[in-house]
Amino acid sequence: MARVETTSQVLTGAEATAHAMRQIRPDVVPVYPITPQTPIIQTFSRFVADGKTDTVLLQVESEHSAMSAAVGAALAGGRTMTATASQGLALMVEVVYIAAGLRAPVVIAVGNRALSGPINIHGDHSDGMLARDSGALQLYAQDAQEAYDLTVLAPRLAEHPDVMLPVMVGQDGFNVTHSAEPVALLADEEVGEFVGEYRIPNPLLGGEGPSSHGVFAMPDSYFEIRYQLVEAVEAAEHVYDELAAEYARRFGRFLPAIDSYRMEDAQRALLVLGSAAGTAKDVVDDLRGEGERVGLLALRLYRPFPEAALRAAMGGVTRLGVLDRAVSPGAYPPLFSDAHAALSGTGIELRSFVYGLGGRDLSTRALRQVLSELAAPAAARIRYVGLRGEDDDGES
Amino acid sequence: MANLKELALLEERAPGFYGGHSLCAGCGIPPIVRTVLGSIPGPKVAISATGCLEVATTRYPFTAWGVPWIHVAFENAAAVAGGVEAAYRALSRRGALGAEPVTFVAFAGDGGTYDIGLQALSGALERGHRLIYVCYNNEAYMNTGIQRSGATPYAANTTTSPVGSLGRGKSERRKDMTAIVVAHHIPYAAQAAASHWQDLGRKVERAAATDGPSFLNVLATCPPGWGHDAKDSVKLARIAVETHYWPLFEVVEGHYRITHRPLHQRPLEEWLNLQKRFSHLHGERSADLVVRLQQELDEGWSQLQMRDAADAEWFRAQEEAGA
């Protein structure tokens, strides 16, 4: 059911995201500038200034206020999006938790970037991981095209009656936000029809009667209300699968929760989030050419964690290298911990690799090395790929 | 301005704020909220910061609010209100809502306004949202157990500015929050007190009719926090006004006007003596503290009088122009 693409433009991930926002035509977009997210809001501000969307753009004084205004706008009854990165997301996190708890379906575009200190503006997943347990859903795009497609898909996921949660759409800072590549945009009307009308129960404006949002819950009710949040996040996996299928039917682009690449008969595989998938695919292709049975799994859906789908995707893999672009000092890093729990009892051996903190490049040579290490017994509890001193051969 | 009978009738027909909440007996907040909501014509949405008002009125599964209400966190009532107002603009302009205008009113305590909420308030004022921001100012963090805030007056005894062998109560002067707000060049700001409910009601009406942000700093008595009898709540607010501790004035487009001039300035001791938070100020040993407090009041009042006099002509011209 593939369709003929009408518009393909050379765009960065940030610009592609701004186009998706223009086509979604959110009612309210409260934003605050931060590298490397800024080109999203700059491009979007230009669209508003040129009358390409009638969004009310709020230039707030901090990301904390951006997310606060977003929760107010979303629960008032307007479709709401915002964008942030790094310290901005860190400042927002208090309200991201509240947005999830109050079931405010705000879409948050994230240009994933390292956290201070020292301050660093480059690609890294530490900011996303800080919000990991907030109840906000998390999607990670591999490239500009996916940043666009996942952003178009996000409002439907956020606003689904079984979900009603914020959705973060992550794209690696600079690797995706600032890298230009051909992006096939949908027609404006197609996006409009796909996202449809924004509807939430009991909005502050235009509701059936007065409703109170954000009330005070004592120990006799807080647990149950939080449990409803857990159920909603878990329900989002199925909703995502359905939306991905619908998106493929309508627009000919299929973005399953897990991107399984050359996993047929694979014995060793890598598990990644985000832009590392592109480099990893090249390496897998090369090694397959050399007769090695290797494959790649890239998660597009990170929260909820697609546990059963991951198990099903493993096939005959015996060793899985999990690549984290974040750390959890004093413990295993987040993606590894999630995968380890999901695959416990399967007999698959998991290895933890940390790479790319603060924008350190991940080379094809380093990934070849990781896959070749997977063929041998583990050399370290956690391998820091590209770290000077530990990994002088890994190249940086 | 609605009279008391009209306000009561309005409350009976469509209460914005019901009884049954758990605010303390003698708390200054409920009469402020009821007067504010009762003085705004037409539909309204209330936005609360975390604090006494929020905690005591929305214990799940109950709510005291008869109007749409939202609370998100402590430091962001103004930002949330701005978001709600922005959604209103977006929905109105594409015809998704009825024609009747909606008023947005944010309620936050002094902690949520003077301190942790100052940045969000400043941003919202600068952006020019059409909303009324009401600070119910009880001059300390009462909800968490009477800790000092930027609004706590000099020498007041709180749990974090305690009187002890060295401590003499709060050693810093309170901020002039109303002046900070006025510096944002917003169209309307005022100070009010629940004791003068008609004055408060008129200010709310003026704020509601203002096309842009407006700010009301309303003194709210607090029996446990100030250490006064519940029955003295209204009396104490009146004394605050009449000692010049809390002058009633408004600032219209930057022009000051005193809205209530006490016939006689009452002695500061009448204000201090009714409150346990000032009980250490009795006697010679604390005379210097009282002198400093009195100086602060006198300076404030004389500055206000000068501003009022300087702007009198502007107000006369406005009235003549029928504004």
Side-chain angles (χ1 to χ4, degrees):
Chain A
M1 239 155 303
R3 54 186 287 287
V4 178
E5 303 301 348
T6 47
T7 335
S8 197
Q9 302 181 33
V10 176
L11 298 170
T12 63
E15 289 165 344
T17 301
H19 274 283
M21 291 169 71
R22 169 183 63 75
Q23 294 177 313
I24 291 165
R25 302 172 79 94
D27 292 302
V28 181
V29 171
V31 282
Y32 188 80
I34 184 166
T35 304
Q37 167 279 117
T38 318
I40 298 177
I41 64 160
Q42 284 175 332
T43 310
F44 187 72
S45 296
R46 209 168 54 236
F47 291 146
V48 174
D50 290 340
K52 309 268 193 212
T53 170
D54 50 6
T55 300
V56 174
L57 192 60
L58 291 184
Q59 308 288 357
V60 290
E61 84 299 332
S62 74
E63 288 89 352
H64 195 282
S65 283
M67 198 59 207
S68 301
V71 172
L75 295 179
R79 180 172 278 140
T80 307
M81 301 178 80
T82 184
T84 192
S86 181
Q87 303 310 116
L89 181 57
L91 186 57
M92 247 185 206
V93 153
E94 182 197 19
V95 192
V96 174
Y97 271 73
I98 299 170
L102 301 192
R103 313 295 292 276
V106 177
V107 174
I108 311 165
V110 180
N112 290 107
R113 165 186 148 181
L115 291 177
S116 298
I119 188 166
N120 172 291
I121 61 167
H122 292 280
D124 187 315
H125 295 153
S126 302
D127 52 0
M129 295 307 151
L130 183 63
R132 184 188 63 169
D133 300 333
S134 63
L137 310 183
Q138 292 200 12
L139 306 175
Y140 284 84
Q142 295 175 19
D143 53 31
Q145 182 68 58
E146 284 197 12
Y148 171 79
D149 289 322
L150 293 176
T151 305
V152 171
L153 191 143
R156 288 277 304 278
L157 178 61
E159 297 159 20
H160 191 282
D162 296 342
V163 179
M164 295 294 298
L165 289 168
V167 174
M168 294 163 54
V169 183
Q171 51 183 303
D172 289 357
F174 293 99
N175 305 91
V176 178
T177 56
H178 287 63
S179 298
E181 57 185 297
V183 177
L185 301 182
L186 303 174
D188 293 356
E189 315 78 66
E190 288 178 310
V191 174
E193 279 168 31
F194 179 76
V195 297
E197 279 288 305
Y198 179 81
R199 275 198 195 85
I200 59 160
N202 305 311
L204 292 166
L205 298 168
E208 297 284 307
S211 51
S212 292
H213 297 258
V215 302
F216 172 58
M218 291 285 283
D220 63 352
S221 56
Y222 178 86
F223 203 167
E224 282 71 25
I225 294 169
R226 293 304 283 184
Y227 182 70
Q228 289 180 343
L229 170 62
V230 172
E231 287 186 311
V233 175
E234 288 182 351
E237 185 178 350
H238 178 63
V239 173
Y240 179 86
D241 292 343
E242 282 186 345
L243 285 170
E246 182 186 334
Y247 200 84
R249 259 196 327 274
R250 283 189 180 214
F251 309 128
R253 291 203 288 268
F254 184 42
L255 300 162
I258 302 180
D259 183 8
S260 286
Y261 188 74
R262 304 198 73 170
M263 287 295 288
E264 69 283 354
D265 77 9
Q267 293 172 327
R268 285 169 287 147
L270 300 176
L271 178 66
V272 302
L273 291 178
S275 67
T279 315
K281 283 176 185 175
D282 281 348
V283 172
V284 167
D285 286 344
D286 290 349
L287 290 173
R288 281 278 179 179
E290 295 163 22
E292 304 229 27
R293 289 163 66 183
V294 295
L296 168 75
L297 297 167
L299 297 187
R300 294 193 181 92
L301 181 66
Y302 177 59
R303 278 293 178 274
F305 193 78
E307 226 176 274
L310 182 66
R311 275 200 298 275
M314 296 309 293
V317 166
T318 55
R319 281 182 185 161
L320 180 71
V322 183
L323 276 85
D324 271 277
R325 205 174 186 182
V327 288
S328 173
Y332 281 102
L335 181 58
F336 177 87
S337 300
D338 291 326
H340 194 266
L343 298 175
S344 72
T346 60
I348 299 165
E349 187 188 342
L350 275 73
R351 303 265 185 87
S352 176
F353 298 86
V354 170
Y355 74 99
L357 297 192
R360 177 78 41 100
D361 275 340
L362 178 67
S363 67
T364 53
R365 207 174 89 193
L367 279 177
R368 280 183 79 102
Q369 173 71 21
V370 166
L371 277 162
S372 93
E373 283 175 33
L374 277 183
R381 187 174 141 267
I382 301 171
R383 264 266 285 124
Y384 293 89
V385 178
L387 178 70
R388 268 196 305 280
E390 162 151 339
D391 190 27
D392 291 330
D393 294 327
E395 186 185 319
S396 62
Chain B
M1 176 63 210
N3 62 34
L4 197 54
K5 210 164 153 187
E6 286 161 350
L7 276 179
L9 203 63
L10 182 76
E11 279 215 342
E12 206 174 314
R13 262 190 264 123
F17 187 76
Y18 290 86
H21 54 71
S22 55
L23 286 159
C24 304
C27 173
I29 302 168
I32 294 170
V33 174
R34 288 165 60 194
T35 307
V36 168
L37 294 179
S39 305
I40 299 170
K44 56 222 119 203
V45 175
I47 299 95
S48 284
T50 307
C52 286
L53 176 62
E54 164 266 331
V55 166
T57 60
T58 66
R59 181 172 166 167
Y60 183 83
F62 304 105
T63 181
W65 295 86
V67 296
W69 177 89
I70 182 171
H71 154 254
V72 177
F74 195 2
E75 67 276 55
N76 61 0
V80 175
V84 175
E85 187 270 344
Y88 172 72
R89 266 187 283 152
L91 296 177
S92 296
R93 109 181 152 189
R94 61 178 170 81
L97 296 173
E100 200 178 3
V102 180
T103 303
F104 302 94
V105 54
F107 292 100
D110 49 290
T113 303
Y114 283 61
D115 292 348
I116 199 167
L118 180 58
Q119 177 182 313
L121 174 60
S122 175
L125 297 178
E126 187 259 344
R127 290 191 300 276
H129 296 281
R130 183 167 186 161
L131 56 88
I132 306 172
Y133 187 102
V134 178
C135 174
Y136 61 90
N137 180 3
N138 52 24
E139 303 193 313
Y141 293 91
M142 300 313 189
N143 188 43
T144 43
I146 318 162
Q147 293 83 24
R148 58 86 85 193
S149 78
T152 303
Y154 178 68
N157 187 7
T158 72
T159 57
T160 52
S161 61
V163 173
S165 59
L166 297 174
R168 308 177 82 198
K170 190 185 171 192
S171 49
E172 302 82 18
R173 191 175 165 172
R174 59 185 167 157
K175 285 184 199 177
D176 187 348
M177 187 64 214
T178 309
I180 293 170
V181 165
V182 169
H184 288 74
H185 311 295
I186 63 165
Y188 190 73
Q191 276 192 192
S195 50
H196 296 68
W197 62 269
Q198 281 180 306
D199 176 80
L200 171 60
R202 265 194 301 272
K203 286 170 177 167
V204 174
E205 283 177 357
R206 180 132 203 183
T210 297
D211 186 12
S214 50
F215 174 84
L216 302 173
N217 196 348
V218 191
L219 188 72
T221 50
C222 178
W226 293 6
H228 69 81
D229 284 346
K231 68 173 169 50
D232 287 336
S233 221
V234 174
K235 178 175 155 190
L236 199 50
R238 181 169 298 282
I239 292 173
V241 172
E242 294 181 351
T243 52
H244 300 165
Y245 175 85
W246 193 257
L248 304 183
F249 62 94
E250 61 188 356
V251 188
V252 182
E253 288 165 28
H255 302 277
Y256 282 72
R257 172 157 68 181
I258 295 170
T259 58
H260 175 75
R261 260 174 223 280
L263 284 177
H264 308 285
Q265 181 180 2
R266 293 169 85 146
L268 181 59
E269 284 69 24
E270 288 190 36
W271 165 247
L272 301 176
N273 290 348
L274 282 173
Q275 304 174 62
K276 288 201 183 73
R277 63 175 171 160
F278 295 123
S279 60
H280 58 295
L281 298 185
H282 305 311
E284 276 308 302
R285 270 183 55 232
S286 304
D288 59 318
L289 302 182
V290 177
V291 166
R292 189 174 148 182
L293 265 175
Q294 184 69 59
Q295 269 172 356
E296 186 191 313
L297 263 52
D298 293 345
E299 276 168 26
W301 180 250
S302 91
Q303 192 178 43
L304 188 60
Q305 278 190 306
M306 282 193 297
R307 282 173 167 158
D308 174 276
D311 287 330
E313 186 52 42
W314 185 87
F315 279 101
R316 255 196 306 280
Q318 289 289 303
E319 269 149 33
E320 272 165 28

